[in-house]
């Protein structure tokens, strides 16, 4: 039997199905479940009723239910756990970051979730010619290397590697970036005024270590994003490489026609 907590949802889904429309049942149900995830009525970790339970409660066939569930899994809203069932993964984090810069913490809070950060590495390293060139500094200059895992409701979402000129930010190693945001720190501690980002986006398959840290299967597609950040004088101050879970993010772009 379906758990009592689902009675109201099942009733809403059943009454929400339009029986006299050409819109397929699987699509109608899919949209209702997505809306309940986005609104928070269904939360991360909630178990979805079985195909049999949904079919009986809604009066539609199991193949129709299966198609609906498969599409929600493919879109990252649900996950199937062998031997246990189908569970909600949670709302996708929506970023308008292609148009304007948003910190991860801002994106997560705007999605109604709780952000946190784990610092995987933070140290002074020798210059890397390719990155020093992007930062427009001598190839012999040292860099600060900051590697972070960003989480939403304790679920891994994003890996960020940042490279910054060490000479420009003396004392930066004293900052705990598990509790402080990078750009907010650079503004307050060094008077930095970020102006713009030069951003490149592509899709790649996750490498084993990336997959382990992001808690995703090996070779699953991720969004691979590189940034060169410029200050108000058009001087680069950070080069970063970010790896977003593509099943838990969506990016919104606004364009003039």
């Amino acid at each position: 039997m379906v758990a009592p907590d689902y009675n109201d949802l099942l009733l809403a889904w059943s009454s929400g199905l339009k029986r006299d429309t050409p819109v397929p049942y699987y699509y109608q149900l899919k949209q209702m479940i997505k809306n309940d995830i986005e609104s928070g009525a269904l939360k991360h970790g909630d178990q979805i009723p079985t195909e049999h339970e949904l079919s009986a409660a809604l009066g539609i066939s199991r193949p129709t239910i299966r198609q609906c569930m498969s599409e929600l899994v493919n879109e990252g809203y649900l996950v199937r756990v062998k031997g246990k069932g189908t569970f909600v993964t949670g709302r996708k984090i929506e970023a308008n970051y292609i148009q304007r810069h948003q910190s991860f913490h801002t994106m997560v809070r705007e999605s109604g979730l709780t952000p946190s950060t784990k610092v995987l590495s933070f140290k002074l390293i020798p210059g890397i010619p390719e990155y020093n060139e992007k930062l427009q500094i001598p190839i012999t200059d040292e860099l600060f290397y900051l590697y972070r895992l960003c989480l939403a409701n304790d679920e891994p979402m994003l890996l960020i590697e940042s490279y910054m000129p060490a000479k420009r930010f003396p004392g930066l190693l004293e900052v705990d970036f598990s509790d402080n945001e990078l750009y907010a720190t650079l503004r307050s501690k060094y008077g930095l005024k970020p102006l713009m980002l030069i951003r490149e986006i592509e899709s790649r398959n996750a490498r084993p270590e990336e997959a382990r840290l992001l808690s995703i299967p090996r070779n699953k597609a991720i969004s691979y994003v590189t940034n060169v950040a410029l200050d108000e004088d058009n001087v680069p101050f950070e080069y970063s490489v970010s790896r977003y879970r593509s099943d838990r993010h969506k990016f919104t772009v606004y364009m003039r026609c």
Side-chain angles (χ1 to χ4, degrees):
M1 294 295 292
V2 177
D5 290 347
Y6 282 93
N7 286 343
D8 289 344
L9 279 175
L10 288 174
L11 180 61
W13 294 344
S14 179
S15 61
L17 286 172
K18 295 179 172 58
R19 313 280 175 172
D20 56 352
T21 175
V23 179
Y25 288 152
Y26 86 87
Y27 183 80
Q28 293 186 52
L29 179 59
K30 172 184 162 184
Q31 294 305 114
M32 288 189 285
I33 294 175
K34 283 175 64 173
N35 289 340
D36 284 332
I37 293 173
E38 296 288 353
S39 70
L42 284 171
K43 296 178 174 58
H44 175 73
D46 283 349
Q47 186 169 8
I48 298 297
T50 66
E51 287 181 9
H52 175 75
E53 291 167 337
L54 287 169
S55 178
L58 304 180
I60 54 181
S61 69
R62 291 180 66 175
T64 297
I65 300 292
R66 191 173 304 123
Q67 182 176 0
C68 170
M69 296 297 111
S70 294
E71 292 201 3
L72 288 168
V73 169
N74 291 337
E75 293 178 18
Y77 288 94
L78 302 178
V79 61
R80 290 190 177 105
V81 180
K82 189 173 182 179
K84 293 185 177 180
T86 303
F87 298 84
V88 175
T89 58
R91 286 170 283 181
K92 288 196 174 187
I93 297 172
E94 182 171 4
N96 296 324
Y97 88 158
I98 297 176
Q99 183 189 35
R100 60 186 173 90
H101 176 263
Q102 285 182 309
S103 72
F104 174 79
H105 281 224
T106 298
M107 288 191 298
V108 171
R109 291 192 188 101
E110 288 184 356
S111 298
L113 305 173
T114 301
S116 59
T117 300
K118 292 182 180 179
V119 176
L120 304 177
S121 180
F122 187 26
K123 59 187 177 181
L124 185 67
I125 64 172
I128 301 172
E130 178 186 356
Y131 299 164
N132 286 39
E133 183 178 342
K134 292 179 184 295
L135 292 166
Q136 298 177 13
I137 59 176
I139 61 173
T140 55
D141 280 10
E142 293 180 311
L143 301 171
F144 285 129
Y145 171 67
L146 175 60
Y147 188 23
R148 291 163 288 167
L149 173 64
C150 300
L151 306 95
N153 286 4
D154 295 324
E155 182 182 6
M157 293 287 174
L158 165 67
L159 287 167
I160 310 176
E161 292 180 285
S162 294
Y163 301 85
M164 294 159 287
K167 287 183 179 179
R168 184 167 183 181
F169 304 116
L172 191 64
L173 284 175
E174 300 169 4
V175 180
D176 180 1
F177 284 106
S178 62
D179 292 324
N180 295 278
E181 295 185 36
L182 177 59
Y183 281 22
T185 298
L186 297 182
R187 286 187 179 98
S188 63
K189 189 175 176 67
Y190 302 97
L192 182 78
K193 295 181 179 179
L195 175 67
M196 65 178 294
L197 298 174
I198 302 171
R199 174 165 282 157
E200 295 181 356
I201 305 169
E202 59 183 293
S203 180
R204 292 188 179 183
N205 290 336
R207 296 173 179 172
E209 180 66 6
E210 295 167 345
R212 182 184 69 81
L213 290 168
L214 291 171
S215 299
I216 58 175
R218 289 189 179 189
N219 293 321
K220 186 175 180 66
I222 57 174
S223 298
Y224 184 89
V225 180
T226 62
N227 290 314
V228 177
L230 308 177
D231 66 15
E232 61 180 345
D233 297 316
N234 286 316
V235 176
F237 64 88
E238 180 208 20
Y239 174 69
S240 66
V241 178
S242 301
R243 299 160 180 86
Y244 290 80
R245 280 182 55 172
S246 57
D247 63 330
R248 300 292 281 114
H249 288 85
K250 62 180 179 181
F251 303 120
T252 303
V253 183
Y254 297 88
M255 294 183 177
R256 292 185 180 274
C257 296

